[in-house]
Amino acid sequence: MNLILFGPPAAGKGTQAKRLVEERGMVQLSTGDMLRAAIASGSELGLKVKDVLARGDLVTDEIVIALIEARLPEAEAAGGAIFDGFPRTVAQAEALDLMLAKCGAKIDSVIRLKVDDAALTDRIGKRFAEQGRADDNPETFKDRLAVYNRQTAPLLPYYADQGKLTEVDGMGDIAAVAAAIDAALDALPEGFRDIDVLINNAGLALGTATAQEADLAQWRQMIDTNITGLVTLTHRLLPRLIARKGAILNISSVAATYPYKGGNAYGGTKAFVRQFSLGLRSDLHGTGVRVTSIEPGMAETEFTLVRTGGDQAASDALYGGATPMTGEDIAETLFWVATLPAHLNINALELMPVSQSFAGFQVARG
């Protein structure tokens, strides 16, 4: 699920976004964070962003859309994206829709935290008097609120016309607002309420450094995506899958079984997925729900591009001349497993291209 969360300053949008990330495993796509991460990565796109900012120019919509597109596979695998700070204009919303459509995705829900401007301004004024925070200055806040209202005014009918806009009372306490947001997100369209097959394809890999040189933030992001996102979505859908005697296909990896240098946290998350699948199989005994751990080896997808921060040369070098598996190969395998007779269960299925096999043990000699 891809979500846009609109809310004026001090309405609690950040608190609710953080909660959705923690509870639902969603990925928050903040424009500012993505720009900083792109520059830090040193990728071609990052260098372009760095050059634009160094000149004092505004980052174009085209660049922001490209940054979102690069992060989309990660967000989709984790259970969806929360768009923060984008779009701000109808032109940006249209460009975002086009990009998502090209990737086979869309904005599923737009939630607006609706507030009483006068009451919110009064609340901020009291907080300013008590705490003296500069961004709570009542006059400054009024300007920020006016800018927000001007920017979102044309976007609301754009999404309302698509039937995606839900308004939530943002003046309630945190728990009440959270409950209203959850109710809006859980109101699945009729066509998606009866789910027979859940395919968990959370497979984010970031970086190739050894454990002693790895970025801890990247480890946490992989855990949040590959584990937290997967178990959160599975837990929410289990009642429906049990009622319909459905199937759960979890995409693990050969990295769950065969370690390799630089695989560290990624391999650990995939080993969790494999064991979680076996645990589900045991827990769901007698319900008629089938559970399978699908464990692919080398498959040429956007996997390596994401892992290396968009390094096309690294991706080409890995797959070049190897005749790797394709996304279509994996999809056909998933279809075969999902359409087996109801009395058959594949517990785990490991697959590799013929060109790939097993490496030997490492030996350090003194």
Side-chain angles (χ1 to χ4, degrees), residues 285-348:
H285 178 76
T287 66
V289 176
R290 295 178 292 158
V291 185
T292 302
S293 173
I294 306 290
E295 299 161 14
M298 180 187 285
E300 186 171 7
T301 63
E302 73 281 352
F303 178 88
T304 300
L305 285 174
V306 173
R307 187 171 205 169
T308 60
D311 189 340
Q312 186 64 56
S315 180
D316 293 343
L318 177 64
Y319 302 120
T323 316
M325 294 185 292
T326 66
E328 288 75 14
D329 294 331
I330 308 302
E332 288 176 3
T333 303
L334 291 167
F335 181 79
W336 173 71
V337 173
T339 55
L340 286 170
H343 68 285
L344 291 179
N345 190 90
I346 304 293
N347 294 327

Side-chain angles (χ1 to χ4, degrees), residues 204 206-209 214-223 265 307:
L204 176 65
L206 295 173
T208 57
D215 183 341
L216 181 58
Q218 290 186 335
W219 280 12
R220 287 174 172 158
Q221 191 173 348
M222 286 186 278
I223 291 167
R307 187 171 205 169

